[in-house]
Amino acid sequence: MKDVAARAGVGLKTVSRVVNGEPGVTPETERRVQEAIDALGFRRNDSARVLRKGRTASIGLVLEDLADPFYGPLSRAVEEVARAHGALLINGSSAEDPEREQELVLALCARRVDGLVVIPAGDDHRYLEPELKAGVATVFVDRPAGHVDADVVLSDSFGGARDGVAHLIAHGHRRIGFIGDMPRIHTAAERLRGYRAAMEDAGIPVRESWMSLGVTDPERVRRAAEEMLTGPDPVTAIFTGNNRVTVTVIRVLAEHPHGVALVGFDDIELAELLRPGLTVVAQDAAALGRTAAERLFGQLDGDLLVPERIELPTRLIARGSGELPPAP
Amino acid sequence: MKDVAARAGVGLKTVSRVVNGEPGVTPETERRVQEAIDALGFRRNDSARVLRKGRTASIGLVLEDLADPFYGPLSRAVEEVARAHGALLINGSSAEDPEREQELVLALCARRVDGLVVIPAGDDHRYLEPELKAGVATVFVDRPAGHVDADVVLSDSFGGARDGVAHLIAHGHRRIGFIGDMPRIHTAAERLRGYRAAMEDAGIPVRESWMSLGVTDPERVRRAAEEMLTGPDPVTAIFTGNNRVTVTVIRVLAEHPHGVALVGFDDIELAELLRPGLTVVAQDAAALGRTAAERLFGQLDGDLLVPERIELPTRLIARGSGELPPAP
DNA sequence: CTGAAAGCGCTAACAA
DNA sequence: TTGTTAGCGCTTTCAG
């Protein structure tokens, strides 16, 4: 910038004015400055600008895994809102590791992002307190924060799971299995609670062997499904707790001789073309991201100062697999 | 930091040393400084650090759409490599709009990212020349850059498409349709070229009505597929140019009475459970991202100074839809 | 309308 | 081992 000023034969501030489109510069002067800018290939250094102005016009998004088809659309939705507010998006995957989550969040804070959208991996976010006090806008999505008072945007995991399981019960099932993610994950616990509630509402006692929570890698899920299908009191239907689990269970059921009913949490592309079509409890990942990001910028604009908990509804989509009658 | 120094009763530089884990500080002093840091909830301002050091330890990734299942894994792979090098990832979606791509890239440069991974939307990247000269490491992925000399990492679109179409020909098809993305997109053009090459190798003259290039929104693709299937000289097989097109064509074929063969570029989750299973030419999105990111950090480390063009192989996976015989 | 000077928070270079 | 000084590139303030 100094070089530009020298070359154009003007003061530093004048260049700054031109670069930022501020008023108060003669067209003639502006032309000279612009010429120097082009000649020198100058581009403003935003780091310096940030240092001076305080705001970085960037927000951070910490999620579990960018490669998961659930988070892609969520991330894109956050990005679109950020873009509308002139901000860039920095994102990182926690890989469901609380330490890595904290590391990422703090790295983002060190860069002075204006705000943070976090899908928590851990369940204690007191490490964020200094940042919150320092004014970093923060919204938690998909799962609530632990031990801090902040905005949260969730899907109705409990209600969704309850409806899904009730749907299976309505189609005659009584021996229904539940396979979900690790119990420390809020959504997994809530969905299990929904399962229990639906069973209880129908007066069906639940067997321990019908429930399986744990990591969602294919081997574990496959084993869990097979045990439910072949053990004593074999299930005639399965409710799966998220898209990763659902995909694996679909594969297991494809190899299984009897028509086992299935309802999955989260929608899956091409679900309608499977045989049978996959019945799901769908949540709107994009809406989750959009809502969270809008709250975030609300905070930044000075409105929305009281932390709120927003719960988005889920939608049951019947496509066949959830309407299969119990096998004899 | 000044405050911390004051509170700990030490000089500024000593605090800097503690914060950065530099040697040359008495344990006792370090303890006092650490105490002050905790008490004040201090955290280093990386913007200032960047301003001083020149490097931001962040890289930018510009892609088409983070919500596309092809780009999620690619993005995650770039992130992992960045993480291994202690860098954060800023990413943005160009929505296949060259202007938006440029806008994003320049915004990233203004923030002085150390490097850039770009999946080009436009075909002229001369706007990047000043940045390249200024030392911003850059790697293009999935499509080559226009009019600038830089690293490129690609899949073998031409060879993959040629193999896929040859596969259909080997199964007896002669009237084969091609539906792809806009012709200005390099991968789309290359895949069309592969299609033509396979047809020519087999001595099959190609009809104009068998080829359709354009936006990949479902309506356009659906119309294109239906025209090929019902027009004069109806096709008995279709080759689709990317995952978005494939998904729509699968839906169209599901409604179609005759068994039309299909081979798609890009793999799709659960493709093996469709009826028939989907035959694809798979490319490895994660490998694409990983390779690109590794080249990027190679540039930053001072090796790998000569721009190179790396082409990754594709793999044909036969699952049924591509082995269907021509309908009578 | 324009410019000089101060300073954002940090680190490099040097001095004590 | 520790502290002082200068300055990264920009914006703010205030004077011309």
Side-chain angles (χ1 to χ4, degrees):
Chain A
M1 197 164 209
K2 211 171 42 185
D3 299 345
V4 175
R7 178 164 180 134
V10 301
L12 210 54
K13 178 61 202 177
T14 305
V15 179
S16 174
R17 286 204 181 87
V18 172
V19 169
N20 296 301
E22 287 168 30
V25 182
T26 331
E28 161 57 15
T29 313
E30 174 163 356
R31 198 192 48 70
R32 277 221 322 285
V33 171
Q34 197 58 54
E35 211 168 80
I37 287 177
D38 294 344
L40 267 45
F42 167 84
R43 214 142 284 148
R44 183 178 66 198
N45 181 333
D46 275 0
S47 306
R49 175 167 227 250
V50 157
L51 184 57
R52 201 58 241 254
K53 305 202 74 155
R55 279 217 177 173
T56 54
S58 58
I59 65 172
L61 170 61
V62 176
L63 38 69
E64 189 216 324
D65 179 6
L66 210 41
D68 185 307
F70 175 68
Y71 294 111
L74 191 155
S75 181
R76 177 72 198 272
V78 172
E79 188 202 336
E80 286 303 325
V81 177
R83 182 175 137 83
H85 289 260
L88 287 178
L89 212 215
I90 307 184
N91 52 26
S93 303
S94 70
E96 208 63 272
D97 173 353
E99 253 180 65
R100 192 162 155 181
E101 173 208 307
Q102 177 170 349
E103 191 184 291
L104 268 168
V105 165
L106 293 181
L108 291 166
C109 289
R111 275 163 210 239
R112 298 294 189 267
V113 291
D114 297 334
L116 228 34
V117 176
V118 181
I119 290 154
D123 49 12
D124 185 353
H125 297 85
R126 274 173 294 186
Y127 69 84
L128 256 173
E129 258 164 20
E131 317 297 344
L132 292 171
K133 249 178 232 152
V136 180
T138 306
V139 179
F140 291 85
V141 190
D142 192 45
R143 311 164 187 176
H147 307 293
V148 298
D149 194 29
D151 273 322
V152 193
V153 181
L154 305 168
S155 279
D156 180 12
S157 283
F158 170 76
R162 193 191 47 201
D163 294 352
V165 174
H167 184 77
L168 288 167
I169 294 171
H171 283 83
H173 295 273
R174 294 183 61 82
R175 300 200 308 276
I176 303 172
F178 177 93
I179 307 181
D181 210 327
M182 294 176 285
R184 70 171 171 79
I185 298 175
H186 178 262
T187 47
E190 282 294 290
R191 289 167 198 175
L192 177 61
R193 202 164 66 81
Y195 163 81
R196 284 179 178 283
M199 295 295 266
E200 192 175 331
D201 287 350
I204 306 172
V206 171
R207 308 247 164 178
E208 274 305 315
S209 64
W210 293 347
M211 294 177 292
S212 173
L213 294 190
V215 291
T216 59
D217 68 285
E219 297 74 46
R220 209 276 304 175
V221 170
R222 175 171 285 274
R223 214 173 325 112
E226 277 163 359
E227 278 168 16
M228 285 179 195
L229 290 167
T230 59
D233 271 319
V235 299
T236 62
I238 297 181
F239 185 86
T240 47
N242 73 28
N243 71 50
R244 295 300 84 201
V245 176
T246 305
V247 164
T248 302
V249 170
I250 290 173
R251 294 200 169 110
V252 173
L253 294 186
E255 300 161 8
H256 201 76
H258 309 300
V260 175
L262 174 63
V263 174
F265 209 107
D266 293 332
D267 203 0
I268 288 182
E269 186 156 55
L270 292 180
E272 80 277 17
L273 290 185
L274 297 169
R275 291 283 165 271
L278 177 70
T279 295
V280 298
V281 175
Q283 55 176 329
D284 188 341
L288 229 40
R290 200 180 322 114
T291 308
E294 273 159 5
R295 286 250 7 133
L296 191 75
F297 285 100
Q299 286 180 34
L300 287 171
D301 293 345
D303 329 329
L304 271 38
L305 296 173
V306 182
E308 216 173 298
R309 178 193 177 97
I310 300 176
E311 204 164 85
L312 267 38
T314 59
R315 196 161 54 93
L316 191 125
I317 307 175
R319 297 197 183 103
S321 73
E323 296 75 54
L324 252 33
Chain B
M1 195 165 208
K2 212 173 40 185
D3 300 342
V4 175
R7 177 165 180 134
V10 301
L12 208 56
K13 180 61 199 176
T14 305
V15 178
S16 173
R17 286 203 181 89
V18 172
V19 169
N20 295 301
E22 287 168 29
V25 182
T26 331
E28 160 57 15
T29 314
E30 175 164 354
R31 198 193 48 70
R32 277 222 321 284
V33 172
Q34 196 59 55
E35 212 169 78
I37 287 176
D38 293 343
L40 268 46
F42 166 84
R43 214 145 281 150
R44 183 179 66 198
N45 182 333
D46 275 2
S47 305
R49 175 170 227 252
V50 157
L51 185 56
R52 197 61 241 253
K53 304 202 73 154
R55 278 216 178 174
T56 55
S58 57
I59 66 171
L61 169 62
V62 176
L63 37 69
E64 188 216 325
D65 178 7
L66 210 41
D68 184 308
F70 176 68
Y71 294 112
L74 192 155
S75 180
R76 178 70 199 271
V78 172
E79 188 203 335
E80 286 303 324
V81 177
R83 181 176 139 82
H85 289 261
L88 287 179
L89 213 216
I90 307 184
N91 52 27
S93 304
S94 69
E96 208 65 271
D97 172 354
E99 252 180 67
R100 193 162 155 182
E101 173 208 307
Q102 176 169 348
E103 190 184 291
L104 267 167
V105 166
L106 293 181
L108 291 166
C109 289
R111 274 157 211 244
R112 296 297 188 265
V113 290
D114 297 334
L116 229 33
V117 176
V118 181
I119 290 154
D123 50 11
D124 185 352
H125 296 86
R126 274 172 294 187
Y127 70 84
L128 256 173
E129 258 164 19
E131 317 296 343
L132 292 171
K133 249 178 232 152
V136 180
T138 306
V139 180
F140 291 86
V141 190
D142 191 46
R143 311 165 188 175
H147 307 292
V148 298
D149 193 30
D151 273 321
V152 193
V153 182
L154 304 169
S155 279
D156 180 12
S157 283
F158 170 75
R162 193 191 47 200
D163 295 352
V165 174
H167 184 78
L168 288 167
I169 294 171
H171 283 83
H173 295 273
R174 293 183 61 81
R175 300 200 307 276
I176 303 173
F178 177 93
I179 307 181
D181 210 329
M182 294 175 284
R184 69 171 171 80
I185 298 175
H186 178 261
T187 48
E190 281 295 289
R191 290 168 198 175
L192 177 62
R193 201 165 65 81
Y195 163 82
R196 283 180 178 283
M199 296 293 269
E200 191 175 332
D201 287 350
I204 306 172
V206 171
R207 307 248 164 177
E208 274 307 314
S209 64
W210 295 346
M211 293 177 294
S212 172
L213 294 189
V215 291
T216 59
D217 69 285
E219 296 74 47
R220 207 276 304 173
V221 171
R222 173 171 287 273
R223 213 171 330 112
E226 277 163 359
E227 278 168 17
M228 286 179 195
L229 291 167
T230 59
D233 271 319
V235 300
T236 63
I238 297 180
F239 185 87
T240 47
N242 72 28
N243 71 49
R244 296 300 84 201
V245 176
T246 306
V247 165
T248 302
V249 171
I250 290 174
R251 294 200 169 110
V252 173
L253 294 187
E255 300 160 9
H256 201 75
H258 309 300
V260 175
L262 174 64
V263 174
F265 210 107
D266 293 336
D267 203 0
I268 289 183
E269 185 156 57
L270 292 179
E272 80 276 21
L273 292 184
L274 297 170
R275 289 286 164 267
L278 177 69
T279 295
V280 299
V281 175
Q283 55 176 328
D284 189 341
L288 229 40
R290 198 180 324 114
T291 308
E294 274 159 5
R295 283 241 23 122
L296 190 75
F297 285 99
Q299 285 181 34
L300 288 171
D301 293 346
D303 329 330
L304 272 37
L305 296 174
V306 182
E308 217 173 295
R309 178 194 177 96
I310 301 175
E311 202 164 85
L312 268 37
T314 58
R315 196 161 54 94
L316 190 127
I317 307 175
R319 297 198 182 104
S321 73
E323 295 75 52
L324 253 33

